[in-house]
Amino acid sequence: MRIGLLTGGGDCPGLNAAIRAIVKQGLGEYGHQIIGFRNGWKGVVDGDIQPLERQHIRNVLSMGGTLLSTARFHPREEDGSMDAVLQTLEAEKIEALICIGGDGTLHAASKVADAGVKIVAIPKTIDNDVAGTDLSIGFHTAVNIATEAIDRIHTTAESHNRVMVVEVMGRHAGWIAVNSGIAGGAEIVLAPEEPFDMDRVVKFLQHRHKAHANFSIVVVAEGAHARQGSSMEYEVQLGKYGEIVAGAIGERVAAEIQARTGFDTRLTVLGHVQRGGTPTPTDRILGSRFGVAAVDAITAGETNVMTALQGEDIVLVPLPEIAGRVKQVPDDLLRVARVLA
Amino acid sequence: MRIGLLTGGGDCPGLNAAIRAIVKQGLGEYGHQIIGFRNGWKGVVDGDIQPLERQHIRNVLSMGGTLLSTARFHPREEDGSMDAVLQTLEAEKIEALICIGGDGTLHAASKVADAGVKIVAIPKTIDNDVAGTDLSIGFHTAVNIATEAIDRIHTTAESHNRVMVVEVMGRHAGWIAVNSGIAGGAEIVLAPEEPFDMDRVVKFLQHRHKAHANFSIVVVAEGAHARQGSSMEYEVQLGKYGEIVAGAIGERVAAEIQARTGFDTRLTVLGHVQRGGTPTPTDRILGSRFGVAAVDAITAGETNVMTALQGEDIVLVPLPEIAGRVKQVPDDLLRVARVLA
Amino acid sequence: MRIGLLTGGGDCPGLNAAIRAIVKQGLGEYGHQIIGFRNGWKGVVDGDIQPLERQHIRNVLSMGGTLLSTARFHPREEDGSMDAVLQTLEAEKIEALICIGGDGTLHAASKVADAGVKIVAIPKTIDNDVAGTDLSIGFHTAVNIATEAIDRIHTTAESHNRVMVVEVMGRHAGWIAVNSGIAGGAEIVLAPEEPFDMDRVVKFLQHRHKAHANFSIVVVAEGAHARQGSSMEYEVQLGKYGEIVAGAIGERVAAEIQARTGFDTRLTVLGHVQRGGTPTPTDRILGSRFGVAAVDAITAGETNVMTALQGEDIVLVPLPEIAGRVKQVPDDLLRVARVLA
Amino acid sequence: MRIGLLTGGGDCPGLNAAIRAIVKQGLGEYGHQIIGFRNGWKGVVDGDIQPLERQHIRNVLSMGGTLLSTARFHPREEDGSMDAVLQTLEAEKIEALICIGGDGTLHAASKVADAGVKIVAIPKTIDNDVAGTDLSIGFHTAVNIATEAIDRIHTTAESHNRVMVVEVMGRHAGWIAVNSGIAGGAEIVLAPEEPFDMDRVVKFLQHRHKAHANFSIVVVAEGAHARQGSSMEYEVQLGKYGEIVAGAIGERVAAEIQARTGFDTRLTVLGHVQRGGTPTPTDRILGSRFGVAAVDAITAGETNVMTALQGEDIVLVPLPEIAGRVKQVPDDLLRVARVLA
C-alpha cells in the first residue's frame, strides 16, 4: 500500500515517535510505502511530499517537534482546499492516510474520510481534551515541564514569602493545570471546568497565610474564567488567529490577588516551553503504540477511526463519535487538587 | 478515627506523596488521627509509632523514599509476629490500617484483615506486577530512570560500534524492560514473559550489523531466562534473602553475545538508582490520588480492599482477588517492542 | 566564636549548600556557634534569629532557595537601619558575620565592616556580574534552566518555521544570555555589553531564512538595549522597586522582528523559573567550597573580604576592591556566540 | 586550508559541540575545508574520511557521543601505523590536523606534530586529569550524572538504613568521585589521590551510625586503592585491554564494610551511563569555545599546542608541556569533601 502521513496543528513531543513507528511497522512488517506530507494539511493541498525511508527516522525517537513540520491550517470546502486535498491524494496514488493531530486535524480527517478516503487518525494535543482516549500525544510531557517549573518556583515563593501565579496551557480543559498543580503541590488550581470566584480565592489565601504558611502557589489554566456574577469579571481574550492571548488571565489573577490581599504576588507564564523538547518515555511509548496500531488498522481496512488509549489497551474509536466533544477533567480529580491544597 | 499507616517492602519514589495525601485528607477533611509505624510491619510488631501532623509532610511531595522508613519484613503466624501486630494495633487503639506496599505487604495486609482489622491497601512496586491496577507507585519513575540511562548508553554504543546490554529490574514481569526498551529504542528486549533463545538473539544482531547498523542495545529484565531446550542454559540466581542476584543474567547474556558474535559487548547494571530520587509527576499524582481514596474508603467503612488505577479512574478492588496473581506484560505491548526493534 | 549568618537579595539555588557547609565546618571543625538571621538584613534589623544546628541542614543540599529566607532590603545610615544592625549584633554578641548576597548585600556588608564588624562575604547572583570571582552562586543553575528552555523552544521553532524570542535575566551583564545562547545554539544573542542595531538583526535573519533555514532563535537579556542612533529606540523600563520590567525588551524585540521581516515571531519570558529549584552540582560544590572557606577565613581573623573562585582555586578578595564594579562578558565569549550563530 | 579532524579514545558528551564549532568557524569565518576522519586515529591509518559540511552538524549540539565515531587506537612507530598516518595526511593533502582526545590521543598528536604535521589538540576526558586545563570535555556531564545517581541512591539509603557504595570512574584521579561526592553529600569519598585505610572508614561509619544517622553513602573512584600496610590489601584489577575492571574495587569495599560493621551494605556501579547522553550546557560551551579557538590557532599557524581553559580564559598550552602529567585533585578540594562528610 501507499500510505500518506501528516502531522497537523501545534507541534508537541512524541510526534516523531509516532512517525518512526509508522515507518518501521509500515515498511518492515507489511512492505507499505509511507509518503509524508510537509506542514500538515497545507502540504497535502500543495502536493509537498517527502517519501519516508528508514534513514529519515534515525535518532528521532527522543526528539521533540515533528520531522514533517506542521501548520495550523485545515482544508475547507468553501475555499477549494478540500478539493485540492482529494486531487493531491489521487495524483500521488495515496491509498490511505494517517493523520496525527488535535481537534481541528481530526475534524478535517473525518470530513476527508466522508469523501471516500481511507483514514486512520492519531490524537495529539498537549491540552489532552480529545474525547475517547485517556491520553493524547504531548500532554504527558507538558505536565512534566509544568511540574518542573512549579517545583522551581516553589523555592522562590518560600524564600521570599510570595504568592506565585503560574499560567499554563489548557483552553477548554484544565488537564495540565490540575495535574501539574497536584504534582507540584499548588495551593490553588484554576481550571476552565470550574469557573472561579475571586472572593473565595482571596479568602483561602488570607486564611492560609494567617494560619500556617507565608507563601502560596496558584496555577491558572489559560482558559480559566471567573464565575458569572462573582466579584471579578473577565472575558477570555483572543488574539488575531482566535488563539487565547498568553498571559492575559494570569496577569489579571495576579493583579487581583496583589490588590486584594496585599501579598507580594508574581506571575510566570510558561508558554511555548510546554510544547517542546525531548518527550517523556510515556509520550514516546504512546506515540510508538499509536503508530503501530494505526498501520495495523489501515492494513486491516479500517477507516474513519482514531487510535485511543483506554486503560492499558490501544483501541480504535470511530472519528464521528468524538467529533465536537471536549474531554474535561472529571470531578474526582478536581477534588483531589482541592483537598490537597 | 485513629488510623495506622505503614510503608512496607522496598522503597520507591511516590510513597511520600501518598503519605502526604493521607495526612492532609485524614486530618483536614475528616479530623482523623494518623499514626505512622516506622519500618513497615516491623514497626507494628515493635510498637514503633510516629503520629503524623502537618509539619511532618512539608516539602515531601518531591522527595523519594519514605519518611516512615521501610523494611523487608512481613508478619507470620508461625513466629508470633502476627499476634504482635494485633496486640500493637489494640494497644495503640488503631481502628483501621492503611498499608502501602507490594506483593508481600499486600498479602500480609489481607491476612491481618482476615483477623478482623479494617484494612485498606495501596499498591507500590517498581516492577508494576500487582494485579488489578494499571499502575503501582514507583513504576513510572523507574521507567523514566531506565529510559534516561538507555538514552545515555545509546550514544556510546553508536560512537564505539558496540553492543550494549542494560540490565533493569523486573523479577516476574518485564514492565520496566519493555517500556524503557520501547522508549529508549532498544533493538532487543528480554523479559520474563517470553523465555528467549540466544540463537535467535545472535542471528538478529548479526543480521542487523550486516544490514544497516554497527551498534545495538539489548535490555534485559533481571528475571529474564532462556527457553528450555534452547542453546543457552541458565537458571535464575538467588541471593541469601531469596532476591535475584543483580547482574547475573546481564553478565551471562553479554558474555554469550560477545562470544558468539565477536561484537564488542558491554554490560550496565542499573541497580538501585531505579528505585530512588524525585518521583515523576505521574507517581506523585498516583500516590496523591491513592492516598485520598484510601482515607475515603477507610472512612466509608471499606476493608480488605486495595486502591487501584483503572483507565482514568481510581477504584477499589478486593485484596483476596489479587492475591497470588502476577500482572505480566500483555502480548500486544511485547509485540510493539519487537516490531520497533 | 559566635558567628552570624544571613542571605540577602533575590533567592537562588546553591544558598542552602553554603549554609550547610558553614554549619558543618563551623560546628564540626571549630566548635563555633552559628546564628542565622531570617530575611537577610531585615532580620538583623529586627533581631529575628535562628540558631543553626545540624538538624536544620539535613537534606538541604539539593534544595533551592534559602532556609533562612531572604528579602530585598539593605541597611542605610539615613533611616537608622544601619544603627539597628549594629545594635542587634552587639545584643546577640555576634563576633563575626557571614553575608551571602549580591551587589546590594555585598555593598552593605562592606559598610558594616567599616563600622568595625568582622565580615566575610559570599557572592551569589544569577546574573554572575560580581567582580573578582569567576562564578557566583546561582548563575550556573540559571544557565542550565535557560538552556533547557531554549532546547525545548528549538523544536517548536523548527516545526513551525518561526522566530522564537527568549528573554532571560541579566540586567547589567549578559552572562545568562550569552552562555545559554551558545549552549542552546541560538542564532542571535542580545546582551547589555553590546547595544544592538535592529537593522542588522533583521538583515541577519532575512539572510539566514533565505539561505539555509526557516527558523531562528533569538536570546535577549532583560538589560539589552538598542544602540543609540540606530533604527529602534528603546529605553529600559523599570518597575516600582527599580527592577527591570519582565518581558518589556522581549516584547519590543519580537514585535519589531515580526513587523520588519513578516516572519511568524513568538516570545517566551523565562522569568522566575531561572532562580529556583534544585541546584546543579556545580552550584552545590561552589556553595560548599565558599561556605568552608568563609568559616576558615572568619576563624583566621579575616574581615572585609569576599570568597571568590579564580580558576580552580578559592581565594579571598577585599570587598572594597569589588565595590561598584560590574563584571561583564568578555569580548572573546561574545565573539563565540556570534560566530557560532 | 584543508584541515583534518578526528576524535580519539572513549566517547563523551560535548565532542559534537566541538566538531560543530570547528566546522562553523572553519567554513564560515575562514573558508577552510574540514575533513573528518572516522574512528579516531584508526580512520587516519585507513584513510577513512568524511568531508564535513554544514548539513552534517545540524542538531548535533545537544547530542552525546561523536558523529565521527571513535576508537581506542593510537598510531605507533613500531607497527608502521605512524607511517600510515603521515601517508594518509599527505595523500589527502591535509595541511593541519585538529585532534580531540584524552591522554593517549594527545600523546600521539604530539608525536605526529614532531614529525612535521601542524597540530592543535583539544582535551577531552571524563576523568578530567589532563594537565594544563581546568576542564576537559565530558567531565562536567559525568559529574552531573554521578550526582544525580547519588541523589537517587540517597533516598534508598535513608529509607532502608543502609550503607550504599557507589563506584564512579576515575583511574588516576578522583575528580568525578570528589565532585559528585561533595555535590551529593556523600559521607566518604575514596579517591586515588589518598590511599585509604579501611580501619578508619569503618570507624567513621560506626561512629556516625551510633551518633546521629542510620545510613551512609560511600563514593569510590575506580582507581582508588588501600594504603600499603593498612588492614585491607588490594591491587587494582585490569582487564584484557589494560582497563580497570568495573566494579572490582566497589565490590571489595562494600564487602569489607558489610563484614566489619554488620551494616546492610549495597553496591552500585555507574559504568557507561557516566559518559553518554546530552551534554550539560557547560560541556557544550566548553566544546564550542575549544572548537573556535582551535580553528583560530590553526589559522594563525600554531602547532603542537592544546586549547585549555584557565579561569575564564581559553589559552593555548604546548603539548609537550602536559605530556605524561596527570592532574590530580588538589588538597583543598579533598579537604572540603572530608569536612562536609
Side-chain angles (χ1 to χ4, degrees):
Chain A
M1 280 176 82
R2 198 167 152 88
I3 301 172
L5 172 61
L6 67 86
T7 53
D11 79 310
C12 68
L15 295 173
N16 286 329
I19 294 171
R20 172 180 176 268
I22 289 164
V23 172
K24 284 213 165 189
Q25 179 75 341
L27 272 59
E29 195 82 359
Y30 299 112
H32 298 321
Q33 284 176 286
I34 307 294
I35 310 300
F37 289 99
R38 270 189 255 267
N39 301 317
W41 290 108
K42 197 165 175 311
V44 191
V45 169
D46 299 346
D48 186 359
I49 71 166
Q50 176 180 342
L52 293 171
E53 305 292 340
R54 287 185 89 91
Q55 83 244 29
H56 296 104
I57 55 166
R58 290 186 64 175
N59 287 327
V60 304
L61 184 57
S62 61
M63 282 189 190
T66 160
L67 62 92
L68 285 173
S69 292
T70 183
R72 294 187 187 273
F73 167 91
H74 304 303
R76 302 163 55 202
E77 279 166 33
E78 296 80 350
D79 59 8
S81 55
M82 182 59 86
D83 281 345
V85 162
L86 299 176
Q87 281 162 22
T88 297
L89 295 178
E90 203 181 328
E92 294 291 344
K93 298 192 178 12
I94 302 296
E95 297 165 72
L97 189 62
I98 299 178
C99 307
I100 312 179
D103 200 32
T105 304
L106 299 177
H107 183 67
S110 193
K111 286 202 298 185
V112 174
D114 289 344
V117 179
K118 275 194 182 159
I119 289 214
V120 172
I122 293 177
K124 75 90 213 155
T125 161
I126 67 168
D127 283 4
N128 203 36
D129 59 0
V130 171
T133 183
D134 292 355
L135 289 177
S136 294
I137 294 174
F139 164 65
H140 192 268
T141 305
V143 170
N144 264 39
I145 295 168
T147 302
E148 222 175 273
I150 296 172
D151 279 355
R152 294 202 177 281
I153 284 166
H154 193 104
T155 59
T156 293
E158 203 167 349
S159 297
H160 282 278
N161 308 334
R162 280 181 186 155
V163 176
M164 301 294 277
V165 177
V166 184
E167 184 187 300
V168 299
M169 288 188 176
R171 179 169 187 163
H172 302 295
W175 287 99
I176 296 178
V178 172
N179 278 279
S180 66
I182 294 173
E187 275 67 39
I188 290 176
V189 175
L190 304 181
E193 285 84 351
E194 295 186 311
F196 61 86
D197 179 341
M198 185 51 73
D199 277 347
R200 296 188 55 183
V201 168
V202 164
K203 215 169 283 178
F204 179 94
L205 292 175
Q206 284 170 329
H207 174 75
R208 171 176 155 86
H209 288 227
K210 191 176 288 178
H212 50 244
N214 49 13
F215 73 95
S216 293
I217 291 178
V218 179
V219 178
V220 189
E222 60 180 359
H225 44 271
R227 211 174 63 206
Q228 280 204 319
S230 69
S231 69
M232 168 186 148
E233 301 210 354
Y234 179 78
E235 282 190 32
V236 170
Q237 291 180 34
L238 302 182
K240 59 183 167 182
Y241 306 111
E243 87 286 5
I244 289 191
V245 174
I249 181 67
E251 270 174 34
R252 181 65 191 283
V253 165
E256 292 281 338
I257 291 173
Q258 170 91 46
R260 298 194 194 190
T261 64
F263 299 150
D264 191 15
T265 305
R266 303 294 170 93
L267 169 67
T268 299
V269 180
L270 284 192
H272 295 283
V273 292
Q274 290 166 86
R275 60 187 325 121
T278 297
T280 58
T282 298
D283 266 328
R284 298 187 203 178
I285 296 167
L286 188 70
S288 298
R289 294 180 78 183
F290 277 170
V292 169
V295 173
D296 288 349
I298 282 275
T299 311
E302 299 278 357
T303 187
N304 215 355
V305 293
M306 180 186 82
T307 60
L309 178 75
Q310 292 183 356
E312 295 186 299
D313 302 319
I314 303 294
V315 300
L316 298 176
V317 298
L319 268 177
E321 252 180 40
I322 62 138
R325 289 170 52 200
V326 170
K327 187 185 71 163
Q328 288 198 310
V329 181
D331 286 344
D332 88 291
L333 198 55
L334 291 168
R335 176 175 171 258
V336 170
R338 210 163 43 231
V339 300
L340 295 184
Chain B
M1 280 176 82
R2 199 168 152 87
I3 301 173
L5 172 61
L6 66 87
T7 53
D11 78 311
C12 67
L15 295 173
N16 286 329
I19 294 170
R20 172 179 176 269
I22 289 163
V23 173
K24 284 212 165 191
Q25 179 75 342
L27 272 59
E29 194 82 359
Y30 299 111
H32 298 323
Q33 284 175 287
I34 307 294
I35 310 300
F37 289 98
R38 270 188 255 267
N39 300 318
W41 291 108
K42 199 166 172 310
V44 190
V45 170
D46 299 347
D48 187 357
I49 71 164
Q50 174 180 342
L52 293 171
E53 304 293 339
R54 285 185 92 94
Q55 84 244 30
H56 296 104
I57 55 166
R58 289 186 67 175
N59 287 327
V60 304
L61 183 56
S62 61
M63 282 190 189
T66 161
L67 63 92
L68 284 173
S69 292
T70 182
R72 294 186 186 274
F73 167 90
H74 304 301
R76 300 163 55 202
E77 280 167 32
E78 296 80 350
D79 58 7
S81 55
M82 181 59 85
D83 281 345
V85 162
L86 299 175
Q87 282 161 21
T88 297
L89 294 178
E90 203 182 327
E92 294 291 346
K93 299 192 179 11
I94 303 296
E95 297 164 72
L97 189 63
I98 299 178
C99 308
I100 313 179
D103 200 32
T105 304
L106 300 177
H107 183 67
S110 192
K111 286 201 300 187
V112 175
D114 289 344
V117 179
K118 277 196 183 157
I119 289 215
V120 173
I122 293 177
K124 76 89 215 156
T125 160
I126 66 168
D127 283 4
N128 203 37
D129 59 359
V130 170
T133 182
D134 292 355
L135 290 177
S136 293
I137 294 174
F139 164 66
H140 191 268
T141 305
V143 170
N144 265 39
I145 296 168
T147 302
E148 223 175 274
I150 296 172
D151 279 355
R152 295 203 177 279
I153 284 166
H154 193 105
T155 61
T156 293
E158 202 167 351
S159 297
H160 282 278
N161 309 332
R162 280 180 185 155
V163 176
M164 300 295 277
V165 177
V166 184
E167 185 186 300
V168 299
M169 288 188 174
R171 179 167 189 164
H172 302 295
W175 287 99
I176 296 178
V178 171
N179 278 280
S180 67
I182 293 173
E187 275 66 40
I188 289 175
V189 176
L190 304 180
E193 285 84 352
E194 294 185 311
F196 61 86
D197 179 342
M198 185 50 74
D199 277 349
R200 294 189 56 184
V201 168
V202 164
K203 215 169 280 177
F204 179 94
L205 291 175
Q206 285 171 328
H207 174 76
R208 171 176 154 87
H209 287 226
K210 190 175 287 177
H212 49 243
N214 49 15
F215 73 94
S216 292
I217 291 178
V218 178
V219 178
V220 190
E222 61 180 357
H225 44 271
R227 210 173 64 207
Q228 280 205 318
S230 69
S231 68
M232 169 185 147
E233 301 209 352
Y234 179 78
E235 282 190 31
V236 170
Q237 290 180 35
L238 302 183
K240 59 182 167 181
Y241 306 111
E243 87 287 6
I244 289 192
V245 173
I249 181 67
E251 269 175 35
R252 182 66 191 282
V253 165
E256 291 279 337
I257 291 174
Q258 170 91 45
R260 297 192 194 189
T261 64
F263 300 150
D264 192 14
T265 305
R266 302 294 170 90
L267 170 67
T268 299
V269 180
L270 284 192
H272 295 283
V273 292
Q274 290 167 87
R275 60 184 329 119
T278 296
T280 58
T282 299
D283 266 328
R284 299 188 204 177
I285 296 166
L286 187 71
S288 298
R289 294 180 78 184
F290 278 171
V292 169
V295 173
D296 289 347
I298 282 275
T299 310
E302 299 277 356
T303 186
N304 214 356
V305 293
M306 179 186 83
T307 61
L309 177 75
Q310 293 183 355
E312 295 186 301
D313 303 319
I314 303 294
V315 300
L316 299 175
V317 298
L319 268 177
E321 251 181 40
I322 62 138
R325 289 169 54 200
V326 170
K327 187 184 71 162
Q328 288 198 309
V329 181
D331 286 344
D332 88 291
L333 199 55
L334 292 167
R335 176 174 170 258
V336 169
R338 210 160 45 230
V339 300
L340 295 185
Chain C
M1 278 176 84
R2 196 168 154 88
I3 301 173
L5 172 61
L6 66 87
T7 53
D11 79 310
C12 67
L15 294 173
N16 286 329
I19 295 171
R20 171 180 177 269
I22 289 163
V23 173
K24 284 212 164 190
Q25 180 75 342
L27 271 60
E29 195 81 359
Y30 299 111
H32 298 322
Q33 283 176 288
I34 308 294
I35 310 300
F37 290 98
R38 271 188 253 268
N39 302 316
W41 289 108
K42 198 166 173 311
V44 190
V45 170
D46 299 347
D48 186 359
I49 71 165
Q50 174 180 342
L52 293 171
E53 304 293 339
R54 285 184 92 91
Q55 83 245 30
H56 296 104
I57 55 166
R58 289 186 66 176
N59 287 327
V60 305
L61 184 56
S62 61
M63 281 190 190
T66 160
L67 62 92
L68 284 173
S69 292
T70 182
R72 293 185 187 276
F73 167 91
H74 304 302
R76 301 162 55 201
E77 280 165 33
E78 296 80 348
D79 59 7
S81 54
M82 181 60 84
D83 280 346
V85 162
L86 299 176
Q87 282 162 21
T88 298
L89 295 178
E90 202 182 329
E92 294 291 344
K93 299 192 179 11
I94 302 296
E95 297 165 71
L97 189 63
I98 300 178
C99 308
I100 313 179
D103 200 31
T105 304
L106 299 177
H107 183 67
S110 192
K111 286 201 300 186
V112 175
D114 289 344
V117 179
K118 276 197 183 158
I119 289 215
V120 173
I122 294 177
K124 76 90 215 155
T125 160
I126 66 168
D127 283 5
N128 203 37
D129 58 0
V130 170
T133 182
D134 292 354
L135 289 177
S136 293
I137 295 175
F139 164 66
H140 191 267
T141 305
V143 170
N144 264 39
I145 295 168
T147 303
E148 223 175 274
I150 296 172
D151 279 356
R152 295 203 176 279
I153 283 166
H154 193 105
T155 61
T156 293
E158 202 167 352
S159 297
H160 282 278
N161 309 331
R162 281 181 186 153
V163 176
M164 301 294 277
V165 176
V166 184
E167 185 186 301
V168 299
M169 288 187 175
R171 180 168 188 164
H172 302 296
W175 288 98
I176 296 178
V178 171
N179 278 279
S180 66
I182 294 173
E187 274 68 38
I188 290 175
V189 176
L190 304 181
E193 285 83 352
E194 295 185 311
F196 61 87
D197 179 341
M198 184 53 72
D199 278 348
R200 294 188 56 183
V201 168
V202 164
K203 215 169 280 175
F204 178 93
L205 291 175
Q206 284 170 330
H207 174 75
R208 170 176 154 88
H209 286 226
K210 191 175 286 177
H212 49 244
N214 48 15
F215 72 95
S216 292
I217 291 178
V218 178
V219 178
V220 189
E222 61 180 359
H225 44 271
R227 210 174 62 206
Q228 280 204 319
S230 68
S231 68
M232 170 186 146
E233 302 210 351
Y234 179 79
E235 280 191 32
V236 171
Q237 291 180 34
L238 301 183
K240 57 183 166 180
Y241 304 112
E243 88 286 8
I244 289 193
V245 174
I249 181 68
E251 269 174 35
R252 182 65 191 283
V253 165
E256 292 280 338
I257 291 174
Q258 171 91 45
R260 298 193 194 189
T261 64
F263 300 149
D264 191 15
T265 305
R266 304 293 170 91
L267 170 67
T268 299
V269 180
L270 284 192
H272 295 284
V273 293
Q274 290 166 88
R275 59 184 328 118
T278 297
T280 58
T282 299
D283 266 326
R284 300 187 203 176
I285 296 166
L286 188 70
S288 298
R289 295 179 78 183
F290 278 170
V292 169
V295 173
D296 288 348
I298 282 275
T299 310
E302 298 278 355
T303 186
N304 215 356
V305 293
M306 178 186 81
T307 61
L309 178 74
Q310 292 183 357
E312 296 186 300
D313 302 319
I314 303 294
V315 300
L316 299 175
V317 298
L319 268 177
E321 251 180 41
I322 62 140
R325 289 170 53 200
V326 170
K327 187 185 72 164
Q328 289 198 309
V329 181
D331 286 344
D332 87 292
L333 198 55
L334 291 168
R335 175 173 171 259
V336 170
R338 210 161 45 232
V339 300
L340 295 186
Chain D
M1 279 176 82
R2 198 168 152 86
I3 301 173
L5 171 61
L6 67 86
T7 53
D11 79 311
C12 68
L15 294 174
N16 286 328
I19 295 171
R20 171 179 176 270
I22 289 164
V23 172
K24 284 212 164 189
Q25 179 75 341
L27 272 60
E29 195 81 359
Y30 299 112
H32 298 323
Q33 283 176 287
I34 307 295
I35 310 300
F37 289 98
R38 270 189 255 268
N39 301 316
W41 290 108
K42 198 167 174 310
V44 190
V45 169
D46 299 346
D48 186 358
I49 71 165
Q50 175 180 341
L52 292 172
E53 304 292 340
R54 285 185 91 90
Q55 83 244 29
H56 296 103
I57 55 166
R58 291 186 63 176
N59 288 326
V60 305
L61 184 55
S62 61
M63 282 191 191
T66 160
L67 61 92
L68 284 174
S69 291
T70 183
R72 293 187 186 274
F73 167 91
H74 304 304
R76 301 164 54 201
E77 279 166 33
E78 297 79 350
D79 59 9
S81 55
M82 181 59 86
D83 282 346
V85 162
L86 300 175
Q87 282 161 20
T88 296
L89 294 178
E90 201 182 332
E92 295 291 344
K93 299 191 178 14
I94 302 296
E95 296 165 72
L97 189 62
I98 299 178
C99 307
I100 313 178
D103 199 33
T105 304
L106 299 177
H107 183 67
S110 194
K111 287 201 300 186
V112 174
D114 289 343
V117 179
K118 276 195 182 157
I119 289 214
V120 173
I122 294 176
K124 75 90 215 156
T125 161
I126 67 168
D127 283 5
N128 203 36
D129 59 0
V130 170
T133 183
D134 292 354
L135 288 177
S136 293
I137 295 175
F139 164 65
H140 191 268
T141 305
V143 170
N144 265 39
I145 295 168
T147 303
E148 223 175 274
I150 296 172
D151 279 354
R152 294 201 176 282
I153 283 165
H154 193 105
T155 60
T156 293
E158 202 167 351
S159 297
H160 282 278
N161 309 334
R162 281 180 186 154
V163 176
M164 301 294 277
V165 177
V166 184
E167 184 186 302
V168 300
M169 289 187 174
R171 180 169 187 162
H172 303 295
W175 287 99
I176 296 178
V178 171
N179 278 279
S180 67
I182 294 173
E187 274 68 38
I188 290 176
V189 175
L190 304 180
E193 285 83 352
E194 294 186 311
F196 61 87
D197 179 341
M198 185 50 74
D199 278 348
R200 295 188 54 183
V201 169
V202 164
K203 215 169 283 178
F204 179 94
L205 292 175
Q206 284 169 329
H207 174 75
R208 170 175 156 87
H209 287 227
K210 190 176 288 177
H212 49 243
N214 49 14
F215 73 94
S216 292
I217 290 178
V218 179
V219 178
V220 189
E222 61 180 358
H225 44 271
R227 210 176 62 208
Q228 280 203 320
S230 69
S231 69
M232 169 186 147
E233 301 211 351
Y234 179 79
E235 282 190 31
V236 171
Q237 290 179 36
L238 302 183
K240 60 182 167 183
Y241 306 111
E243 87 286 6
I244 289 193
V245 174
I249 180 68
E251 270 174 36
R252 182 64 191 284
V253 165
E256 292 280 339
I257 291 174
Q258 170 90 46
R260 298 193 192 189
T261 64
F263 300 149
D264 191 15
T265 305
R266 303 293 169 93
L267 170 67
T268 299
V269 180
L270 283 192
H272 295 284
V273 292
Q274 291 166 86
R275 59 187 324 121
T278 296
T280 58
T282 299
D283 266 327
R284 298 187 204 177
I285 296 166
L286 188 70
S288 298
R289 294 180 78 182
F290 278 170
V292 168
V295 173
D296 287 349
I298 282 274
T299 310
E302 298 279 355
T303 187
N304 216 355
V305 292
M306 179 186 82
T307 62
L309 178 75
Q310 292 184 355
E312 296 186 299
D313 302 319
I314 303 294
V315 301
L316 298 176
V317 298
L319 269 177
E321 252 180 40
I322 62 138
R325 289 169 53 200
V326 170
K327 187 185 71 163
Q328 289 197 311
V329 182
D331 285 344
D332 87 292
L333 198 55
L334 292 168
R335 175 174 170 258
V336 170
R338 210 162 43 232
V339 298
L340 295 185

